[in-house]
Structures are given as structure tokens and as C-alpha cells.
Amino acid sequence: MKSHSERTGLVQSIERAFSIIEALKEHQELGIAELSAQLSLDRSTVHRLLATLRVLGYVNQNRENFKYSNSLKFFDIGHSVVRSLGLGRIAMPFMKALAEETQVGINLAVMESYSVVYIEKIESQSTIRATLPLGVYMPAYCTGLGKMLLSCMDEKEIRDVFRSSDEAASRSTPHDNIKLRRYTANTITNLDLLCEELANIRKRGYSLDDEEYISGLYCIAVPIRDYQGCTVAAMSAVLLKIIGTDIQSKAQDVLKKLTAAAGSISASLGYH
């Protein structure tokens, strides 16, 4: 009996290599035995494919538990695809103008596996700034950009994917539950409160992150929409909470300009 690769004309080794990549994408980090069981492949085959992917720079190995994860090389590829599709190229002039006008940091991000990934950024010209790296996966539920993107999903999906920090990971859902881990005193760690927060974001059209992920940062985020009206990204302004400054007044001024810039980017993508 012919194998699936033989029947479809696929190259078996490449098919298997990509099945490993997809499994690592879903589970973040897996060992050889886990991949072997999950993909129904011999351990020797998994080991050989991982060794090749590691030499080529597509996977990393954790030196403590010897498990494997995908490398940021995939972000480099994805970033080039995003650029070729025009999102970064179209957004950058508006981001530069906005950063110049507001004198704050501006970020552009997309959602990936219920995490947020920064794809473009402009640092604040302030001597005090927050350095947020491109390509690194950050939690969506406690960042302005992430909450803006999560608000585009329905509540059922949110409840399927996330769980409160004090809730056991035993619910039967289509996904592994993402625990609402606490990063600061302001992080939302209760699922009901997160759903309430996302409902409020849907109503007002923008999201806020008041020191929920990083202490001292106040972020405002708004959606970027394509020609079909779908939210394809989010853009944020990053304000530093400095003693003696009126952060609320500053935020309201920045929000107007941020919304206008996001509207211009969306219009450039065909949204009307």
C-alpha cells in the first residue's frame, strides 16, 4: 500500500519536517519522545530531522530539558512576507509621522497563536524609553495591542483558549488553556474580568494597558482594518508613567492622533 506522500506526490522528508515545525508551533516546546508519539514517527527519524533543522537554524534546543522549539528564523521569514504584502511598508510613513507629532513610541503588531508579535516599531525620542523587541511573542491578554486583537474574537473562543490563574488546566477545550499569568499588580488574571474588559474594548473601539505587562508603561491601541473590514493588525502608542505628569490628559490627546493615523493606514489597505 502506498504511503500518503507517495499518493500525493509529496517529498516525505520535507512533509515530516514541516509536521515537526507545526507541532512545535502549537505546543511551543517538545522533546523527541513527545514528537515521536504525537506524529507517529520513529524516534530516530525525529532525531535526524531535528538535527537537520537545528543545523539550518530553524529550531533551538533547550539546554536544561533538551526539548526543542522553533527559532526566530521563522519570524524573519514571516516578517519579509508581511513586508512583501505591504502592511509594514504602508504603515511606516504614518507611524513615523505619528511618532514625530506625539513624541511617544509607536508599535504595530499582529496576532499569532493567541500571542501578539511586534512587526514594526518606532522608539520614543525620550531619553527614557521602553525597548520592545520585534519578533518576540508576548502575552495578548495583558498588552494593549493584544487585547485590541483579542476583542475581535467572540467570547466563546476566549473562554475556550484562556483560563484564570487559579483554575486547573482540566477543562476539555479545542486548545491548550493559556493561563492568565500575573506580570504586574495590574494584570488581569480572572477570565470573567478579561471577557468584561474585551467587551468594553469592543464598545469603545480602543484598548488600554495601564501597567498590566510592564510597570511604568501606559499603552493605547487601536485596530488596523483591511478592505473587507477585518482587523488584520493593531497599532499602539506607548506612554511612560512619570510622577508629576497628567497621563490621562496626554493619553486622550495621543488617542485622537493614533485613531486618525490608524484610519489612514486602514484606508490605504482599502477600508472605507
Side-chain angles (χ1 to χ4, degrees):
M1 183 177 179
K2 291 184 177 181
S3 66
H4 177 265
S5 296
E6 291 174 326
R7 293 195 306 273
T8 58
L10 300 178
V11 178
Q12 188 179 66
S13 59
I14 295 178
E15 182 184 18
R16 288 175 170 177
F18 274 98
S19 68
I20 289 175
I21 290 166
E22 290 292 338
L24 293 178
K25 173 190 171 184
E26 181 179 353
H27 296 281
Q28 306 299 319
E29 193 176 69
L30 293 171
I32 290 176
E34 293 169 315
L35 283 165
S36 174
Q38 187 172 130
L39 302 175
S40 300
L41 295 174
D42 292 337
R43 292 192 184 190
S44 60
T45 299
V46 173
H47 182 271
R48 185 174 66 255
L49 291 169
L50 282 170
T52 302
L53 290 169
R54 186 182 179 190
V55 168
L56 294 175
Y58 287 98
V59 300
N60 296 321
Q61 186 177 31
N62 187 322
R63 294 185 178 182
E64 294 183 358
N65 60 20
F66 302 105
K67 292 187 176 184
Y68 294 84
S69 61
N70 288 329
S71 78
L72 288 177
K73 194 166 185 177
F74 287 104
F75 172 76
D76 292 334
I77 295 172
H79 197 195
S80 68
V81 171
V82 170
R83 285 185 177 277
S84 69
L85 291 175
L87 178 56
R89 176 179 55 80
I90 291 170
M92 187 52 72
F94 298 101
M95 293 174 66
K96 287 180 178 178
L98 181 61
E100 180 68 25
E101 185 179 11
T102 60
Q103 294 296 297
V104 301
I106 305 297
N107 298 311
L108 184 70
V110 295
M111 184 75 75
E112 175 66 29
S113 300
Y114 302 103
S115 294
V116 65
V117 184
Y118 291 74
I119 60 173
E120 293 289 2
K121 68 173 182 175
I122 298 179
E123 297 282 10
S124 167
Q125 296 304 306
S126 170
T127 54
I128 304 174
R129 64 182 67 179
T131 301
L132 301 171
L134 294 178
V136 175
Y137 284 67
M138 297 185 183
Y141 64 89
C142 58
T143 56
L145 288 162
K147 290 194 294 181
M148 186 68 251
L149 294 167
L150 286 177
S151 72
C152 300
M153 303 175 186
D154 61 39
E155 185 172 327
K156 182 181 184 304
E157 183 175 4
I158 297 299
R159 289 187 178 279
D160 281 345
V161 172
F162 296 95
R163 62 184 171 91
S164 298
S165 60
D166 59 352
E167 183 180 355
S170 59
R171 291 187 287 118
S172 177
T173 68
H175 310 278
D176 292 332
N177 301 140
I178 298 174
K179 181 179 178 180
L180 301 181
R181 172 188 165 191
R182 180 175 298 283
Y183 289 91
T184 71
N186 291 352
T187 304
I188 297 175
T189 59
N190 179 275
L191 184 56
D192 290 333
L193 292 179
L194 175 62
C195 289
E196 183 180 330
E197 168 76 354
L198 296 179
N200 289 332
I201 292 170
R202 293 184 194 103
K203 291 177 183 177
R204 65 177 180 242
Y206 64 90
S207 69
L208 298 173
D209 163 13
D210 187 1
E211 300 185 275
E212 293 176 42
Y213 183 51
I214 299 176
S215 297
L217 292 192
Y218 188 97
C219 302
I220 315 164
V222 295
I224 302 293
R225 297 186 173 93
D226 65 9
Y227 69 99
Q228 294 179 312
C230 300
T231 298
V232 293
M235 184 167 67
S236 72
V238 183
L239 287 68
L240 297 176
K241 295 189 76 172
I242 301 173
I243 296 175
T245 60
D246 185 354
I247 192 70
Q248 298 299 331
S249 176
K250 174 70 172 176
Q252 285 303 310
D253 179 58
V254 170
L255 174 60
K256 295 176 184 176
K257 296 167 182 175
L258 177 67
T259 301
S264 297
I265 296 171
S266 296
S268 298
L269 294 174
Y271 177 69
H272 299 289

